[in-house]
Amino acid sequence: MKKTIIAVSLLISALNYCIAQVQLPSTQPNLAQAAMIKRGYGMFMHFGINTFNEKEWSDGTLPVSSYNPTNLDPDQWVRTAKEAGFRYVLLVTKHHDGFCLWDSKYTDYDVASSPVKTDVVKAVANACKKYGIQFAVYYSLWDRHEASYKDKNPQKYVDYMLNQLTELFTNYGKIGELWLDGGWDRKPEDWGIDQVYKLVKKYNPACAVSVNHTIVNEEGKRKFTLPSNMTEDNKYFFQYFPSDFRLWDPKVITKFDKKQYLHQGKSYYMPFEHTICISKYWNWFQKKELTPVRDLDEMEELFYWSTDNDNCLVVNVPPDQTGQIREYEANTVINLGKRLNLSLNKPLPKNGKFISLKQAVTASSTWKDDKNTEYGGNLINDGNLDSRWAAKDTVASVEMNLNPTEAFNKISIFEYQDTKDLSDGFSQIRVPRIQKYSVDIMQNGQWQSIYFSDEPMGDCKVIRLPKRYKTNKLRFRVLKATALPSIYEICVIDMPEKK
Amino acid sequence: MKKTIIAVSLLISALNYCIAQVQLPSTQPNLAQAAMIKRGYGMFMHFGINTFNEKEWSDGTLPVSSYNPTNLDPDQWVRTAKEAGFRYVLLVTKHHDGFCLWDSKYTDYDVASSPVKTDVVKAVANACKKYGIQFAVYYSLWDRHEASYKDKNPQKYVDYMLNQLTELFTNYGKIGELWLDGGWDRKPEDWGIDQVYKLVKKYNPACAVSVNHTIVNEEGKRKFTLPSNMTEDNKYFFQYFPSDFRLWDPKVITKFDKKQYLHQGKSYYMPFEHTICISKYWNWFQKKELTPVRDLDEMEELFYWSTDNDNCLVVNVPPDQTGQIREYEANTVINLGKRLNLSLNKPLPKNGKFISLKQAVTASSTWKDDKNTEYGGNLINDGNLDSRWAAKDTVASVEMNLNPTEAFNKISIFEYQDTKDLSDGFSQIRVPRIQKYSVDIMQNGQWQSIYFSDEPMGDCKVIRLPKRYKTNKLRFRVLKATALPSIYEICVIDMPEKK
């Protein structure tokens, strides 16, 4: 009996190994996808030459000497990830600037040539082994430093990449995921994605590979489609093939996300990996000044939304110039993990049941933009965080029908906000418009206010009710706003009681 | 054996009965005080003619016809109290305006003469029996309607009160507490407090009696002392005697509250009952417009602070013109009760251990007022919510020494705010000054920010840390403020993990 099991296991392993080297049409997760879905929740880490130059993107000319962490401690990074319940760490090993966080034979624009020579990739990979969580790698295709990138023959730079990826995949143990970025800077076919894919799978068939902006509207054209459009199977196409999963940083899929995507007439199963910042200012690289973190309530709702339906989420928690994650940022993700009661041995927790999706809505007013596009009330419960209702007046309301037999005890409201750009030309501050609001339900023919606040709303307001309500009509009233109020989504949810 | 127990019980009852009719010097709770301390947490209810006239105080001339609830439901009031874990309901039976919530033989300024004749005292008392929680009564000494109040002989009005209190104490079952208010309008000796006390104890020896502003600085003089001064035994004097407990609405005692107070050379044990509003606008009577509720975090910290050390707390939750508590206000107290896991069968929960009290503090700057009073840094951890540090600059900080062997995982910060008076001349909006701040601790010779926020602070900011820290120095930095920042108290607390 035992022998048979071993034989069968070996056979499956061999089969997986062969299969994994090419991407096969499927309606089910492959080996790498299954592993990725099981991981589900990772910590993204942007750290590099930008960290020391108040930049989000740099052009490859920043002096290598400027990379100079005063107290580099990658063990603290991974320890934080572990304490926060992340199941993998996704490390930016090289950003668009070309600076490498490991000692690469193929460039001098790396840590080995900097004042602090620690091989950060090795340190993080080792710490992942130590803390028992998985290691994943972000690598920018686009390289603004490397000379071969400018060669007329695109294969020159592809060879450079293959060499560097061989370093990464042979020197640092198992890598669970390869996140490729910056594809917009060349034609898709010039990146040698098939060669990259094959190389990766040779070393680790269970590694999931993808390129940012994976999916397009039209095959062979760079006509992007947002994840929030991906609500139909076999309608959209691979831009980069092969790819094990979909990426579109920092966009969010809908509640009706679909998994089948086309390449040359065949359909492939493709989960989505979300990327969000812990920073409320949407900075990916840490700044000298303290930047505020997102609200825990928002983080919790985005966690549920992003890890649902066999998709994944990575949260960017970047170390600062000391080479450590700031304590208050670490505390935020650890608090979230505690709140969600995350554990490596348990499936990720789920949100409650949404009872509001696509129920009929009427709005007191709707705004139309320059192109005569209407921001209708029905957009508040379409399960889409890109679409939004906007009112024509600062005092406004929407009413939503509900099924009076379905109970609810939580309401999450995602507000559209104004943004102010910050000096790095990339990150931004969001400013709420809604200053006073209530949530009312119809009970015995009368409106009852079940929630009321005079505080600015913000990215995501979560209202936890101490009991379950049932009603045929729910109303959201904006009583004061500093600009025309606009709402992405109002989710009426029935959340099971915590045990 | 059984007979003996009964005999002893009877003896004790008789003894308590005799003792209770007069207040005896003691360093221990008497029968009424012990019952009061055991109750601990009550719902205060302001409802009456003011509710229908957008007033906080009225002068007794508002027409009785204006009292007109459209959907009076006292059962809902007490059901809410029960669901929220309150152990008693303290009903305003008559406010300064003289309007009575019961059918009183001695006046026509009562519900019986109004459009809605329901005896509210009876309805609430009955609902309390139904839901198994205790009933208590607020009664204003000061009466701006009753004719006998203006009689030259003060006993005329005392007789009126004794008659009304007899109605209350003989027709509505057990009353656990009598809260008397408005004493400032006459000399203390003209209220007949000894007669009131005797009457109450005749009907219910376990009823605790008190008059607002119970304690003074000097015996026989109306020289008030605030509860926050009451940090020494046998230093302050009764203004109203007898009185079973101290009142000073809406003031809060200190962490060093003392219980022994003097009357004619003898010392009496006196717990304190706090009164706070659920309303962030500090309105006691409900208004037509929705008014926002206090933050749950603030409510939780005030709960701990106010019910600690054998003192009590009542939270005012006033019904509106429909005659019902608004759903969002009910939800707030029910959410608080759930969070605190309140149960009639368990003692009230306690805050964690304060490790910051009276530790050495240095401030970056301190402000002095017109009278040259200094608002020093040492006031942030003196356990007193009336005293405060104020800085001379909008960017400012305080550093506090801590014992590095003592761990903590929670920090509560009470901000002093600017106030805007509302149109009723009584309630007010508080406006935070501090807009951006961090909490830092010294670790290995470096400051680490364990919390950072760019949101306005407000009445009470509670920072829950996901782990225990130890440090010899904690710093609070104000990074941006709209006026000179000022802090009542920073509490560094070690909170046991929830089971």
Side-chain angles (χ1 to χ4, degrees):
Chain A
M1 190 66 180
K2 208 174 173 186
K3 267 184 191 163
T4 321
I5 290 172
I6 292 167
V8 171
S9 297
L10 282 171
L11 189 66
I12 291 173
S13 295
L15 215 64
N16 274 334
Y17 180 78
C18 297
I19 288 169
Q21 295 233 22
V22 290
Q23 189 169 9
L24 295 176
S26 174
T27 58
Q28 297 295 324
N30 65 26
L31 182 75
Q33 290 167 337
M36 177 189 168
I37 293 166
K38 197 175 168 209
R39 280 193 296 274
Y41 183 51
M43 185 165 85
F44 207 0
M45 306 206 67
H46 282 70
F47 184 70
I49 200 130
N50 292 342
T51 309
F52 301 86
N53 291 277
E54 302 289 278
K55 301 274 188 203
E56 286 293 302
W57 288 11
S58 58
D59 65 2
T61 62
L62 291 172
V64 74
S65 61
S66 64
Y67 172 87
N68 195 8
T70 53
N71 207 348
L72 182 64
D73 187 1
D75 189 87
Q76 184 250 1
W77 308 357
V78 185
R79 189 168 70 242
T80 299
K82 173 75 174 181
E83 284 181 56
F86 288 110
R87 291 145 183 253
Y88 59 114
V89 167
L90 172 60
L91 179 67
V92 172
T93 59
K94 183 190 88 167
H95 204 247
H96 311 324
D97 49 71
F99 181 81
C100 297
L101 275 191
W102 76 101
D103 178 6
S104 173
K105 276 203 290 217
Y106 305 97
T107 184
D108 288 335
Y109 203 54
D110 66 1
V111 286
S113 307
S114 83
V116 177
K117 298 181 199 317
T118 307
D119 183 332
V120 176
V121 177
K122 177 167 278 172
V124 171
N126 286 348
C128 282
K129 278 184 209 94
K130 172 176 165 188
Y131 293 108
I133 63 181
Q134 293 186 52
F135 181 52
V137 156
Y138 165 109
Y139 179 91
S140 176
L141 299 169
W142 186 24
D143 191 317
R144 303 171 80 179
H145 180 88
E146 166 56 23
S148 67
Y149 189 83
K150 285 143 205 146
D151 197 284
K152 262 184 259 173
N153 176 5
Q155 186 59 38
K156 290 274 183 192
Y157 174 69
V158 171
D159 290 340
Y160 174 80
M161 286 204 300
L162 295 173
N163 283 330
Q164 287 209 316
L165 290 169
T166 301
E167 289 183 324
L168 289 172
F169 276 83
T170 56
N171 293 327
Y172 302 103
K174 278 268 186 292
I175 292 175
E177 172 181 320
L178 177 63
W179 207 111
L180 300 166
D181 198 12
W184 56 82
D185 199 55
R186 278 190 173 185
K187 282 181 264 168
E189 58 271 27
D190 285 354
W191 290 117
I193 295 300
D194 52 343
Q195 300 169 62
V196 168
Y197 192 89
K198 207 164 178 183
L199 179 143
V200 167
K201 299 290 175 164
K202 186 176 90 180
Y203 293 117
N204 182 11
C207 179
V209 179
S210 179
V211 188
N212 201 4
H213 313 148
T214 328
I215 300 297
V216 285
N217 268 345
E218 285 185 51
E219 190 145 40
K221 297 208 174 151
R222 193 154 253 170
K223 221 178 137 190
F224 296 131
T225 196
L226 290 177
S228 54
N229 292 325
M230 300 176 187
T231 58
E232 213 174 304
D233 277 332
N234 301 316
K235 181 176 173 189
Y236 300 102
F237 303 88
F238 283 71
Q239 175 175 211
Y240 304 103
F241 187 89
S243 270
D244 293 315
F245 60 99
R246 288 171 290 148
L247 282 173
W248 186 298
D249 138 51
K251 293 292 180 183
V252 178
I253 51 84
T254 74
K255 295 299 285 181
F256 306 99
D257 184 59
K258 287 288 188 288
K259 296 286 184 291
Q260 297 303 129
Y261 295 85
L262 298 171
H263 178 65
Q264 298 182 348
K266 290 185 177 129
S267 177
Y268 297 82
Y269 179 90
M270 293 282 279
F272 188 83
E273 186 181 72
H274 295 85
T275 49
I276 66 168
C277 280
I278 193 179
S279 164
K280 232 170 77 176
Y281 289 176
W282 289 86
N283 55 292
W284 298 86
F285 287 94
Q286 195 52 284
K287 301 292 184 266
K288 273 185 202 164
E289 290 277 315
L290 303 184
T291 52
V293 290
R294 284 162 181 269
D295 193 73
L296 271 189
D297 277 351
E298 186 201 3
M299 300 270 290
E300 180 175 353
E301 290 306 298
L302 286 178
F303 172 92
Y304 292 134
W305 190 292
S306 303
T307 59
D308 199 21
N309 192 13
D310 286 346
N311 290 321
C312 301
L313 169 66
V314 288
V315 179
N316 187 58
V317 187
D320 67 7
Q321 293 188 2
T322 67
Q324 296 182 35
I325 295 171
R326 289 184 179 148
E327 204 68 16
Y328 72 89
E329 301 209 332
N331 283 342
T332 302
V333 282
I334 296 169
N335 266 333
L336 181 66
K338 286 200 163 192
R339 181 192 274 211
L340 292 168
N341 202 12
L342 298 182
S343 154
L344 277 181
N345 311 315
K346 286 193 303 187
L348 295 177
K350 300 272 183 203
N351 211 343
K353 183 185 175 197
F354 283 54
I355 68 160
S356 48
L357 285 170
K358 298 194 174 172
Q359 296 293 313
V361 173
T362 53
S364 61
S365 69
T366 56
W367 178 72
K368 285 181 185 177
D369 65 17
D370 298 346
K371 295 165 191 157
N372 215 30
T373 304
E374 192 168 355
Y375 291 68
N378 61 313
L379 301 174
I380 60 158
N381 60 2
D382 61 348
N384 183 344
L385 289 175
D386 282 341
S387 70
R388 58 188 173 96
W389 163 61
K392 217 167 41 179
D393 300 296
T394 54
V395 173
S397 64
V398 275
E399 282 180 32
M400 188 194 293
N401 286 350
L402 290 175
N403 179 342
T405 67
E406 291 193 300
F408 63 95
N409 59 3
K410 186 170 81 165
I411 300 167
S412 306
I413 308 177
F414 292 86
E415 187 192 359
Y416 169 82
Q417 295 179 76
D418 292 309
T419 54
K420 286 196 276 187
D421 287 335
L422 294 177
S423 58
D424 59 19
F426 200 98
S427 53
Q428 54 179 220
I429 297 178
R430 299 186 177 204
V431 184
R433 293 174 169 186
I434 298 172
Q435 305 292 318
K436 196 186 265 193
Y437 56 99
S438 77
V439 176
D440 317 316
I441 58 170
M442 185 61 79
Q443 294 276 277
N444 309 319
Q446 305 247 315
W447 286 113
Q448 279 196 336
S449 295
I450 56 174
Y451 187 78
F452 172 65
S453 174
D454 70 337
E455 288 184 12
M457 178 164 257
D459 281 304
C460 176
K461 174 70 200 176
V462 179
I463 299 165
R464 292 185 183 83
L465 302 162
K467 52 185 155 187
R468 292 192 150 74
Y469 286 96
K470 291 179 183 176
T471 185
N472 63 341
K473 229 176 236 299
L474 182 139
R475 178 175 70 174
F476 172 70
R477 277 192 300 168
V478 178
L479 301 161
K480 190 177 151 195
T482 51
L484 297 182
S486 182
I487 295 286
Y488 286 116
E489 203 75 4
I490 298 179
C491 311
V492 183
I493 301 169
D494 189 36
M495 194 75 192
E497 293 266 344
K498 268 189 188 159
K499 274 156 211 160
Chain B
M1 190 66 181
K2 210 173 171 188
K3 267 187 191 163
T4 322
I5 291 172
I6 292 169
V8 170
S9 297
L10 282 173
L11 190 66
I12 291 172
S13 297
L15 214 63
N16 275 333
Y17 179 79
C18 298
I19 287 167
Q21 295 233 23
V22 290
Q23 189 170 9
L24 295 177
S26 173
T27 57
Q28 297 294 324
N30 64 27
L31 180 75
Q33 290 167 336
M36 176 188 169
I37 293 167
K38 197 173 169 212
R39 279 191 297 273
Y41 183 50
M43 185 164 86
F44 206 178
M45 307 206 65
H46 283 68
F47 184 69
I49 200 130
N50 292 340
T51 308
F52 300 85
N53 291 278
E54 303 289 277
K55 301 274 187 199
E56 287 291 305
W57 287 12
S58 58
D59 64 2
T61 62
L62 291 172
V64 74
S65 60
S66 64
Y67 172 88
N68 196 7
T70 54
N71 207 351
L72 183 65
D73 188 1
D75 190 87
Q76 183 251 2
W77 309 358
V78 184
R79 190 168 69 244
T80 299
K82 173 74 175 184
E83 285 181 56
F86 288 109
R87 293 146 183 252
Y88 61 114
V89 167
L90 172 60
L91 179 67
V92 173
T93 57
K94 182 190 89 167
H95 204 249
H96 311 324
D97 48 69
F99 181 81
C100 297
L101 276 191
W102 76 101
D103 178 5
S104 173
K105 277 201 284 210
Y106 306 97
T107 185
D108 288 334
Y109 204 52
D110 65 2
V111 286
S113 309
S114 84
V116 178
K117 300 182 194 320
T118 308
D119 183 331
V120 176
V121 176
K122 178 167 278 171
V124 172
N126 286 348
C128 282
K129 277 185 210 95
K130 173 177 165 186
Y131 292 107
I133 63 181
Q134 294 185 52
F135 180 53
V137 156
Y138 166 109
Y139 180 90
S140 176
L141 299 170
W142 187 25
D143 192 315
R144 302 170 80 180
H145 179 87
E146 167 56 24
S148 67
Y149 188 82
K150 285 144 205 145
D151 198 283
K152 260 184 257 171
N153 177 5
Q155 186 61 35
K156 289 272 181 190
Y157 174 67
V158 171
D159 290 340
Y160 175 80
M161 289 203 299
L162 295 174
N163 283 330
Q164 287 209 316
L165 290 168
T166 301
E167 287 181 326
L168 289 171
F169 276 82
T170 56
N171 293 326
Y172 302 102
K174 278 266 186 293
I175 293 174
E177 173 182 319
L178 177 63
W179 207 111
L180 300 166
D181 197 12
W184 56 82
D185 199 55
R186 279 190 175 185
K187 282 180 262 166
E189 60 270 28
D190 285 353
W191 289 117
I193 295 300
D194 52 342
Q195 299 169 62
V196 168
Y197 191 89
K198 206 164 178 181
L199 179 144
V200 167
K201 300 289 175 166
K202 186 176 91 181
Y203 292 116
N204 182 11
C207 178
V209 179
S210 178
V211 187
N212 200 3
H213 313 145
T214 330
I215 300 296
V216 285
N217 268 345
E218 283 185 53
E219 190 146 41
K221 296 207 178 156
R222 192 152 252 173
K223 221 177 139 192
F224 295 132
T225 196
L226 289 177
S228 54
N229 292 325
M230 300 177 187
T231 58
E232 212 175 304
D233 276 332
N234 300 317
K235 182 176 171 187
Y236 298 102
F237 303 89
F238 283 70
Q239 176 175 210
Y240 302 103
F241 187 89
S243 270
D244 292 316
F245 61 100
R246 288 171 291 148
L247 282 173
W248 184 297
D249 138 52
K251 294 292 180 183
V252 178
I253 52 84
T254 75
K255 295 299 285 181
F256 306 100
D257 184 59
K258 288 286 189 290
K259 295 287 183 290
Q260 297 303 127
Y261 294 84
L262 298 171
H263 178 66
Q264 298 184 345
K266 289 188 177 123
S267 177
Y268 297 81
Y269 180 89
M270 293 282 280
F272 188 84
E273 185 181 74
H274 294 85
T275 50
I276 66 169
C277 279
I278 194 181
S279 163
K280 233 169 79 176
Y281 288 176
W282 289 87
N283 55 291
W284 297 87
F285 286 93
Q286 194 53 282
K287 301 293 184 267
K288 274 186 202 164
E289 290 277 314
L290 303 184
T291 52
V293 290
R294 285 163 180 267
D295 193 74
L296 270 189
D297 277 352
E298 187 202 3
M299 299 270 290
E300 181 176 351
E301 289 306 297
L302 286 180
F303 171 91
Y304 292 135
W305 189 293
S306 303
T307 59
D308 198 22
N309 192 14
D310 287 345
N311 291 321
C312 301
L313 169 66
V314 290
V315 179
N316 186 58
V317 186
D320 68 7
Q321 293 188 2
T322 67
Q324 295 182 35
I325 295 171
R326 288 184 178 147
E327 204 67 17
Y328 71 90
E329 301 209 331
N331 283 342
T332 302
V333 284
I334 296 170
N335 266 331
L336 180 67
K338 285 201 162 191
R339 180 191 275 211
L340 293 167
N341 202 11
L342 298 182
S343 154
L344 277 180
N345 311 314
K346 288 193 304 188
L348 295 177
K350 300 272 183 200
N351 211 343
K353 183 185 176 194
F354 283 52
I355 69 160
S356 48
L357 286 169
K358 298 194 175 173
Q359 297 292 315
V361 173
T362 54
S364 62
S365 69
T366 53
W367 178 73
K368 284 181 186 176
D369 65 16
D370 299 345
K371 294 167 191 157
N372 214 32
T373 304
E374 193 168 355
Y375 291 70
N378 62 313
L379 301 175
I380 61 157
N381 60 0
D382 61 349
N384 182 344
L385 289 175
D386 282 341
S387 70
R388 59 189 172 96
W389 164 60
K392 216 165 45 176
D393 301 295
T394 55
V395 173
S397 64
V398 274
E399 282 179 33
M400 188 195 291
N401 286 349
L402 289 175
N403 179 342
T405 67
E406 291 194 298
F408 63 95
N409 59 2
K410 185 170 82 165
I411 300 167
S412 306
I413 308 178
F414 293 86
E415 187 193 358
Y416 169 83
Q417 294 180 75
D418 291 310
T419 53
K420 286 196 275 186
D421 287 333
L422 293 176
S423 59
D424 60 17
F426 200 99
S427 54
Q428 55 181 219
I429 297 178
R430 298 186 178 206
V431 184
R433 293 175 169 185
I434 297 172
Q435 305 291 319
K436 195 186 265 196
Y437 56 98
S438 77
V439 175
D440 317 316
I441 58 168
M442 186 60 81
Q443 294 276 277
N444 309 317
Q446 305 248 315
W447 285 113
Q448 279 194 336
S449 295
I450 56 173
Y451 187 80
F452 172 65
S453 174
D454 72 337
E455 289 183 13
M457 180 164 255
D459 281 305
C460 176
K461 174 71 198 175
V462 179
I463 299 165
R464 291 184 182 82
L465 302 161
K467 51 185 154 186
R468 294 195 149 70
Y469 286 97
K470 290 178 183 177
T471 184
N472 63 340
K473 228 176 238 299
L474 182 139
R475 178 174 71 174
F476 172 71
R477 277 192 300 168
V478 178
L479 301 161
K480 189 176 150 198
T482 50
L484 298 182
S486 182
I487 295 286
Y488 286 116
E489 202 75 4
I490 298 180
C491 311
V492 184
I493 301 168
D494 190 36
M495 193 75 193
E497 294 266 345
K498 266 189 190 162
K499 274 159 215 156

